[in-house]
Amino acid sequence: MTDLLFSCLLKDSPMCPITVNGVEHQVPARLSVAAALLYLGNLAIRKHPVSSEARAPFCYMGVCFECLVIIDGQHKQRACLREVMPHMCIETAMVGVNP
Amino acid sequence: MSKVYDYLVIGAGPAGMAAAIEASNAGLCVLVLDQAENAGGQIYRNLGQVGIQQARVLGPDYLVGKPLLAEFMAANCDYQPMAQLWHIEAHEKGFLVVALVHGESITYVTSHLLLANGAMERPMAIPGWHKPGVMTAGAGQILLKTAALLPKQVVLAGSGPLLLLLAQQYRAAGVIITALLDTTPKSNYWYATPWLMAGLTTPKQLLKGLWLTLVQRIKTPYITGVSGIEVLGEECVTGVSYTVAGKVYDIDCNLIMLHQGLIPETQMGQLLGCTQVWSENQQCWQARVAVAGQTSVPGLQIAGDAGTIGGAYVAQFNGRLAGIVRANSGVATLSLQKRLLTLWLCLRVKQLHWARGLVDRLYRPADWLSEPSSDTIICRCEQVTAGAVTAIASRGCAGVNQLKAYTRAGMGACQGRQCGLNLAYLVAHAQQRPVSKVEPLTVRPPLSPINLGQLSRQTEL
């Protein structure tokens, strides 16, 4: 359902391969990880550690800490502050371990 | 200990870039630390890389930053992007600034420090604002600037120039705006009237603002006098309800963007013990800052929106002024040309801050926003409701800092950035005292997450 929310203006920009929760995807290069997850249709990207409700990035500028993900094994990375790199491995916390 | 910088600038937005240019031109050894991948700050985010289609949508006020960005990239200063600052403290040589760069913690030493880390959006705590499908208007604009991501359909809610600008940009890009819910209280128009004089000193800005408002009112489903906004939906957003003149309305939607103006990011200044004052006009805590950025802490300057919300132009002037004053201890040593420039910058900064009063008064948040219903989540990180906070506060809790011990509000990952202001309002209401008398949350390091491995591998530069 969420892949209907946003669409990308960039039509022929170079693509970058990334892995999200073990599945490989192609996203436009130079996107932030948070934007890339939204581009792929993931609105909610973690379960709240206290309430277990689904949560999504809120500010996309590094102040809300709602976009914490695991990037290449590093926990608690703000997805909005990191650009995608080829073969970056991103784990969101919709299931399993919470970053 | 190796290198000691003459001037360390935090933030590469308009204020930080301008200060770094002036200071490095004067021969100082300058380092700029910025948390983004590219210079520009939020206002000129991604400006150096943006495509033609995005530029068309974002408009001329965004592209106007290009010369400044070019001047900064050519300046003879060190620039470290992607630096996540997590600690800052006074030191015998000046200040220690500690940041995570590519996963390694690096300590920088500087004799003088400029905080130009900008602003954040005022958290608009309404029922359901934590649900997926709610984000800030600033987030919408950042997604447009950095990723060219556009929603198909959106509800915009709140008050302030950024909301209107985003509506304009979204319309230009063909986004369907289901509704623009304007929460500006009608009484604000009356209270803002005396400020018209101030606004008239920047006639071009005033006309631009009037035009922007007028166009949105005609071209979008613009609803005024809105209160009691509530986000509907279980797991994700399915709609929004709001009240106009006592009647409740519902709209179906999957995406809502909120805005309620900007507030300075004060954490770093607070950590260094900078005197904070409550700004009645901007309804937020601010560092006490002189016109060229000087604060109560010797050697520490604050410029741009990190001090007082003023926008990109004033931030740039403010930054230049801060840089010149730092590079020349005392105006007496300046050339006549520089002296005149300094005088002109001082006057411009003062004038633009005064003119901003019109915007501040007109878009002051409605009272109902500071008294959210008891089931509204106030602290998003620790999932604390307004009801829980009010209950503790009315039993005589000393202030927001003691609230932490009882409720954990303000102790999550964002460290009170999203709840601090609203906690203060709740305590003020419960205890019937002015919010200016409620002390802000105490700030402690780390300012951003760091793990023990990174902490143990500290490197000094």
Side-chain angles (χ1 to χ4, degrees):
Chain A
M1 157 240 145
T2 50
D3 53 348
L4 302 170
L5 282 185
F6 280 84
S7 65
C8 191
L9 263 182
L10 305 171
K11 287 293 171 255
D12 35 40
S13 76
M15 301 299 269
C16 171
I18 57 168
T19 307
V20 180
N21 297 329
V23 182
E24 198 159 309
H25 296 278
Q26 295 284 335
V27 297
R30 310 216 51 260
L31 256 56
S32 72
V33 172
L37 289 168
L38 192 60
Y39 172 86
L40 294 172
N42 304 285
L43 183 61
I45 58 170
R46 63 183 196 127
K47 295 261 188 227
H48 193 275
V50 178
S51 67
S52 299
E53 288 173 331
R55 287 290 183 91
F58 181 64
C59 76
Y60 286 89
M61 57 173 277
V63 290
C64 75
F65 291 74
E66 292 277 9
C67 64
L68 298 180
V69 293
I70 305 170
I71 299 176
D72 295 329
Q74 293 273 2
H75 283 236
K76 289 212 186 335
Q77 299 297 304
R78 279 174 281 177
C80 65
L81 296 181
R82 297 280 303 271
E83 261 179 30
V84 291
M85 301 280 285
H87 311 294
M88 191 181 246
C89 182
I90 300 150
E91 290 163 73
T92 71
M94 285 308 284
V95 284
V97 62
N98 213 303
Chain B
M1 189 157 299
S2 42
K3 194 165 189 176
V4 179
Y5 284 95
D6 297 322
Y7 203 34
L8 197 154
V9 177
I10 293 166
M17 290 195 290
I21 291 165
E22 289 297 335
S24 56
N25 284 353
L28 295 192
C29 181
V30 181
L31 169 69
V32 179
L33 293 180
D34 189 53
Q35 71 172 7
E37 302 244 359
N38 300 297
Q42 299 306 338
I43 184 85
Y44 302 135
R45 184 125 176 217
N46 211 32
L47 181 58
Q49 285 74 29
V50 78
I52 301 164
Q53 271 181 303
Q54 280 156 286
R56 187 184 59 81
V57 169
L58 286 161
D61 280 341
Y62 173 65
L63 300 172
V64 84
K66 283 213 164 175
L68 178 67
L69 187 63
E71 201 185 346
F72 172 67
M73 294 318 284
N76 184 25
C77 65
D78 291 352
Y79 161 53
Q80 178 59 64
M82 291 176 71
Q84 298 183 11
L85 191 136
W86 68 268
H87 185 47
I88 188 164
E89 67 179 35
H91 177 260
E92 55 185 30
K93 290 206 169 85
F95 301 93
L96 288 185
V97 176
V98 196
L100 277 182
V101 181
H102 302 298
E104 294 302 317
S105 177
I106 301 175
T107 303
Y108 302 92
V109 187
T110 182
S111 65
H112 290 71
L113 182 63
L114 173 70
L115 303 179
N117 56 311
M120 56 173 273
E121 280 174 273
R122 177 189 299 277
M124 184 174 163
I126 54 171
W129 70 310
H130 54 286
K131 294 196 167 100
V134 185
M135 57 180 75
T136 66
Q141 215 190 26
I142 288 166
L143 287 170
L144 174 57
K145 285 175 184 170
T146 62
L149 281 175
L150 288 165
K152 300 222 160 62
Q153 207 165 351
V154 67
V155 169
L156 303 174
S159 179
L162 182 63
L163 198 69
L164 300 171
L165 179 63
L166 184 68
Q168 169 94 347
Q169 292 168 336
Y170 271 178
R171 273 194 319 101
V175 174
I176 301 165
I177 299 171
T178 317
L180 199 160
L181 308 176
D182 186 349
T183 62
T184 313
K186 297 239 160 92
S187 59
N188 276 16
Y189 290 92
W190 177 248
Y191 288 122
T193 313
W195 285 96
L196 258 178
M197 270 297 289
L200 280 169
T201 63
T202 54
K204 219 173 121 193
Q205 297 279 76
L206 187 66
L207 276 177
K208 243 196 266 179
L210 279 174
W211 180 247
L212 187 65
T213 314
L214 203 68
V215 170
Q216 303 329 306
R217 287 199 176 210
I218 295 166
K219 299 249 176 152
T220 62
Y222 197 102
I223 301 156
T224 55
V226 172
S227 65
I229 300 177
E230 221 170 290
V231 178
L232 309 174
E234 284 301 317
E235 176 96 345
C236 280
V237 176
T238 56
V240 59
S241 83
Y242 60 93
T243 309
V244 177
K247 263 188 89 177
V248 180
Y249 302 84
D250 280 358
I251 324 175
D252 289 341
C253 66
N254 299 115
L255 188 66
I256 307 167
M257 293 185 183
L258 305 176
H259 184 69
Q260 210 56 244
L262 303 174
I263 56 173
E265 271 226 72
T266 55
Q267 270 88 4
M268 295 175 194
Q270 281 178 270
L271 196 53
L272 288 168
C274 209
T275 308
Q276 304 286 309
V277 287
W278 176 260
S279 162
E280 192 54 35
N281 228 14
Q282 301 200 333
Q283 289 288 303
C284 58
W285 289 97
Q286 300 178 342
R288 191 191 295 279
V289 183
V291 67
Q294 305 94 329
T295 66
S296 61
V297 178
L300 174 70
Q301 290 171 298
I302 300 180
D305 281 0
T308 306
I309 303 299
Y313 285 105
V314 71
Q316 186 179 333
F317 295 141
N318 202 189
R320 271 193 201 279
L321 194 54
I324 293 172
V325 167
R326 162 64 192 108
N328 306 275
S329 24
V331 183
T333 57
L334 290 176
S335 67
L336 181 66
Q337 196 196 351
K338 276 269 154 149
R339 245 189 262 191
L340 287 175
L341 176 65
T342 313
L343 181 68
W344 182 78
L345 286 171
C346 279
L347 290 173
R348 277 297 267 167
V349 169
K350 289 258 182 211
Q351 180 221 346
L352 289 172
H353 273 154
W354 184 51
R356 177 81 192 185
L358 176 64
V359 174
D360 292 338
R361 191 60 196 89
L362 182 57
Y363 297 117
R364 185 178 294 185
D367 288 337
W368 64 268
L369 284 160
S370 61
E371 296 165 86
S373 64
S374 61
D375 59 338
T376 308
I377 302 272
I378 291 296
C379 171
R380 300 168 61 104
C381 302
E382 294 291 340
Q383 203 83 357
V384 183
T385 61
V389 171
T390 304
I392 300 285
S394 33
R395 266 184 263 155
C397 171
V400 291
N401 287 299
Q402 205 179 47
L403 258 180
K404 289 188 199 172
Y406 291 114
T407 64
R408 287 196 60 81
M411 295 179 77
C414 90
Q415 294 176 304
R417 288 172 175 92
Q418 292 292 329
C419 67
L421 196 52
N422 291 326
L423 292 177
Y425 278 120
L426 286 173
V427 169
H429 283 304
Q431 304 182 349
Q432 294 182 341
R433 50 180 174 146
V435 64
S436 58
K437 298 281 177 247
V438 182
E439 270 201 24
L441 283 172
T442 307
V443 177
R444 290 204 174 81
L447 294 173
S448 60
I450 175 170
N451 62 40
L452 286 171
Q454 292 163 333
L455 194 61
S456 63
R457 287 194 305 273
Q458 289 272 20
T459 36
E460 261 174 24
L461 198 80

